[in-house]
Amino acid sequence: MINFDEEVKKFKPTLELDQAEEAIYSNDLKDIMDIMQEMMRVAKETER
Amino acid sequence: MADVLNCKHCGGTIQVTGYCANCGLKSEYVNKALNSSKYYYNIGLDKARVRDMSGAKEALKTALKYDKMNIDARNLLGLVYYETGEVVMALSHWVVSVNHFSGRNVAKRYIKDVRSNPHKLEATNNVARKYNQALAYARQGSKDLAFIQLRKVLSDNNKFVNGYLLLALLFIDEERFDKARKALKRVIKIDRTNPLAVRYLSEMGHTDEEIMRFRDFPEESYDADLLFVDEERKAYSGTGNVDFDGEPIPVGRYKDINFYKYSLAYIIAGLILGIAVTWFLIVPHRDKTADDESRNLKIAFSQEIADKNVKMASLENEIESLNTELDDANKQVTNLNKKIKAYETSAAQILSDEDRVRMQSGIKKYEDMSYDEAISDFDKVLEHNPDSDIALYYKGMSYIKKSDTINAKQAFNKLVSKCPDSLYYTIAASYADADVVDAADANTQNDNRTGNDGTVPEGNQTGNDGTIPEGNQTGNDGTVPEGNQTGNDGTVPEDN
């Protein structure tokens, strides 16, 4: 059975225009290649 | 000359070891990541084509996790967000896309289209704000306010999936499952595999086949708008796009409208309405006007007739009074004529001094029985006064004394004919000829008949029966009683 209070908590507020900049930065996150670069950089620093 | 391979991630030279001299990434891994990104992009594209927006979102997000520079995947993800009503998210992805690749990027056009209409952009922002407000109300338990806000939200953006989902949840909570089902069908139409909508439908007791049937309903007859609206509310919903429950109102298809039929119906209805207006409004008004005019005319004529009657009555009264005055005037004229005649008679009897002396002399001689001399005196008097009744009387009486009846009759005949009002008339009539007396009586009666009152001037009255008024009687023997003799000429015998 659907519990209204529980279900309504799952709804998230939608973005407004003044939040667009924040959304842009959050959408331009690192991809898997950025993560690999970061891992390599950390590994090299660890070897040193 | 050997081919130089460049890193597909940063463009640096790939060394013999297979690693990029610039970014240090192994070329094999980079290619693998890029291929994976393209793979998920293709999946996302396929799902977007069948309106599986939720699946497309997930696939495209995965594609971007492998390669954030995948412009196509990012642009498509923006389109999917835009289609589900999340415009701000769509704009953010398109901006990032243009930031990564500013060449021929379709995201530029998308951004331009959205920003070209400031009102639409503001409306989009309002939709987001109201949805957030509705969500806050729903969490606080103010469901009525949440309904109101959602109605506004869906009126401005009828593709806002999250709005429909929240609306369906509110309906389910109020056990208005029919309305919830319609909202969820709308969601399914926009996003065929929306997991929340599918779950809610399942919770409402729909089987997977039914949900699949909702999902796979042929587009031709799948007019979700008709299913959303109940007829009564649609009738009162006006021109808005959403009814009271925040559900879109269907707009009839152009091809379904037979304008010719409706035009004909409108013309016929207009004609009937015009005839009805003429019959019920104009004709009674005209009849009433005519009745009023005729009534006013009747009133005017009645007043005029009444005025005329009053005037006629006054004129009749005037005529009557004038007739009365005329009668009075005629009587006065008659009386005056009689008086004039009497005066004329009296005037005829007035003698000059010489004739008066001669008359007294003749009467003296008559009394002294000197009849011839008396007759001579009377003839002289009669020369100047032929109508003198005294002279005629004594002349006739002198002839009687002389037994000369012929001359006596002549004198009395003249007296009777000339002086009918004389004091001596009765005596004269007894000696005069009968035809002369009758003629004189006839004249007298005519005169009396002409004078309507039949009155005789005072002092000249003679009784028709032959009598003489008291004080004026004369003896039948032709003598005048003593003490009673008065001459019409105003003279008095000497012995009196």
Side-chain angles (χ1 to χ4, degrees):
Chain A
M1 190 59 190
I2 295 172
N3 185 327
F4 177 79
D5 294 327
E6 293 297 324
E7 291 297 326
V8 83
K9 286 178 184 173
K10 296 176 184 174
F11 284 85
K12 291 184 171 53
T14 190
L15 294 176
E16 299 177 17
L17 276 180
D18 50 3
Q19 298 170 318
E21 187 179 1
E22 183 184 348
I24 289 168
Y25 285 120
S26 63
N27 286 334
D28 195 18
L29 294 175
K30 295 175 180 177
D31 58 6
I32 194 166
M33 286 176 280
D34 293 331
I35 293 170
M36 285 194 292
Q37 278 183 308
E38 184 66 19
M39 288 171 64
M40 289 174 66
R41 186 182 61 80
V42 171
K44 283 180 181 177
E45 287 180 357
T46 305
E47 286 176 2
R48 288 174 190 170
Chain B
M1 187 175 168
D3 292 336
V4 177
L5 296 177
N6 293 326
C7 178
K8 292 180 181 176
H9 177 62
C10 64
T13 305
I14 297 175
Q15 298 172 342
V16 179
T17 56
Y19 287 90
C20 175
N22 186 27
C23 65
L25 292 176
K26 193 174 183 180
S27 174
E28 183 183 354
Y29 298 155
V30 170
N31 289 338
K32 184 72 175 175
L34 293 178
N35 285 337
S36 297
S37 177
K38 288 178 181 174
Y39 171 76
Y40 284 107
Y41 165 72
N42 288 334
I43 291 174
L45 182 60
D46 289 340
K47 290 190 174 183
R49 281 175 176 166
V50 296
R51 301 197 69 84
D52 179 5
M53 299 301 178
S54 297
K57 272 184 199 173
E58 293 303 318
L60 293 170
K61 282 179 181 176
T62 305
L64 290 177
K65 283 178 182 175
Y66 281 106
D67 181 12
K68 65 179 182 182
M69 304 286 284
N70 190 337
I71 302 302
D72 291 336
R74 195 171 288 277
N75 289 343
L76 183 58
L77 183 59
L79 272 181
V80 170
Y81 276 122
Y82 187 80
E83 181 64 14
T84 54
E86 297 179 72
V87 180
V88 176
M89 283 298 290
L91 276 174
S92 66
H93 281 288
W94 290 332
V95 168
V96 172
S97 171
V98 171
N99 189 41
H100 286 311
F101 180 67
S102 61
R104 287 191 64 171
N105 191 341
V106 72
K108 287 182 180 176
R109 183 167 63 84
Y110 296 152
I111 294 168
K112 186 179 177 183
D113 286 346
V114 173
R115 286 181 174 174
S116 62
N117 190 345
H119 297 293
K120 188 174 180 182
L121 195 62
E122 182 63 25
T124 301
N125 194 34
N126 286 336
V127 166
R129 192 177 298 127
K130 288 171 185 172
Y131 170 75
N132 293 337
Q133 187 67 46
L135 185 58
Y137 284 139
R139 284 176 177 169
Q140 294 167 5
S142 303
K143 294 173 186 173
D144 291 337
L145 295 175
F147 272 120
I148 293 170
Q149 292 296 329
L150 283 174
R151 178 185 175 184
K152 294 175 184 174
V153 167
L154 297 173
S155 177
D156 291 340
N157 186 354
N158 58 5
K159 289 183 177 179
F160 195 38
V161 170
N162 286 336
Y164 285 114
L165 289 172
L166 184 58
L167 183 67
L169 182 62
L170 290 167
F171 279 138
I172 290 169
D173 185 56
E174 291 189 348
E175 297 184 349
R176 296 165 68 183
F177 296 111
D178 191 48
K179 292 291 178 187
R181 188 178 301 110
K182 287 180 180 178
L184 293 173
K185 281 183 180 178
R186 180 67 183 169
V187 173
I188 291 293
K189 185 182 179 183
I190 298 168
D191 182 5
R192 296 182 66 194
T193 59
N194 188 283
L196 208 52
V198 171
R199 182 168 157 257
Y200 287 163
L201 286 171
S202 298
E203 293 285 351
M204 288 166 62
H206 290 287
T207 60
D208 292 342
E209 288 80 8
E210 288 173 336
I211 297 170
M212 289 291 287
R213 204 179 310 129
F214 293 153
R215 184 186 304 162
D216 298 332
F217 213 86
E219 189 66 25
E220 289 294 326
S221 61
Y222 187 80
D223 194 349
D225 296 333
L226 293 175
L227 297 175
F228 270 98
V229 180
D230 59 25
E231 295 300 324
E232 289 184 3
R233 291 192 174 183
K234 183 175 72 174
Y236 291 97
S237 59
T239 56
N241 294 325
V242 176
D243 68 0
F244 289 107
D245 297 318
E247 297 162 352
I249 293 171
V251 178
R253 295 180 181 178
Y254 180 80
K255 65 181 180 182
D256 293 336
I257 300 172
N258 187 342
F259 285 107
Y260 173 74
K261 183 174 70 179
Y262 287 118
S263 300
L264 197 61
Y266 290 151
I267 291 170
I268 292 170
L271 285 173
I272 293 171
L273 190 63
I275 292 169
V277 167
T278 305
W279 185 257
F280 290 109
L281 296 179
I282 297 173
V283 171
H285 180 68
R286 193 178 59 185
D287 291 345
K288 187 183 177 187
T289 305
D291 290 342
D292 291 342
E293 287 178 357
S294 71
R295 192 180 302 116
N296 292 334
L297 206 57
K298 283 180 181 176
I299 291 169
F301 280 135
S302 299
Q303 287 179 348
E304 194 171 348
I305 288 168
D307 293 341
K308 297 285 184 188
N309 286 334
V310 170
K311 192 179 287 185
M312 282 173 63
S314 65
L315 287 173
E316 285 176 354
N317 290 331
E318 195 173 349
I319 288 169
E320 193 173 348
S321 64
L322 288 173
N323 282 333
T324 306
E325 288 179 4
L326 183 62
D327 292 341
D328 293 341
N330 286 332
K331 288 176 184 176
Q332 289 178 1
V333 167
T334 304
N335 290 333
L336 289 173
N337 284 334
K338 286 182 178 179
K339 285 181 180 177
I340 289 168
K341 194 174 180 182
Y343 285 134
E344 285 176 351
T345 305
S346 298
Q349 304 300 325
I350 296 172
L351 303 176
S352 63
D353 292 339
E354 185 182 354
D355 289 336
R356 190 179 301 163
V357 171
R358 194 170 288 126
M359 179 72 79
Q360 289 176 355
S361 173
I363 292 170
K364 183 73 169 69
K365 289 173 181 174
Y366 171 77
E367 289 174 352
D368 293 340
M369 296 180 186
S370 298
Y371 299 115
D372 290 333
E373 293 175 0
I375 289 169
S376 176
D377 286 338
F378 292 137
D379 283 338
K380 288 179 182 174
V381 171
L382 289 170
E383 284 177 4
H384 298 97
N385 301 283
D387 294 334
S388 175
D389 56 343
I390 299 171
L392 287 172
Y393 172 73
Y394 281 104
K395 182 182 176 183
M397 289 306 295
S398 297
Y399 280 120
I400 289 294
K401 296 296 182 181
K402 285 177 66 181
S403 302
D404 184 358
T405 56
I406 296 170
N407 286 324
K409 277 190 178 181
Q410 286 180 352
F412 286 124
N413 285 343
K414 191 173 180 181
L415 190 152
V416 167
S417 61
K418 295 286 185 181
C419 305
D421 297 327
S422 173
L423 290 172
Y424 306 104
Y425 179 84
T426 305
I427 298 169
S430 63
Y431 293 111
D433 291 332
D435 54 347
V436 175
V437 173
D438 291 340
D441 288 340
N443 286 333
T444 304
Q445 286 176 357
N446 285 335
D447 290 342
N448 291 336
R449 199 176 293 121
T450 304
N452 289 329
D453 56 352
T455 56
V456 178
E458 291 179 6
N460 291 320
Q461 288 179 342
T462 56
N464 287 334
D465 55 355
T467 60
I468 297 172
E470 289 183 3
N472 288 322
Q473 288 177 342
T474 57
N476 285 335
D477 58 354
T479 61
V480 177
E482 290 181 3
N484 287 327
Q485 289 180 341
T486 55
N488 282 340
D489 56 354
T491 61
V492 178
E494 289 179 357
D495 56 348
N496 290 327

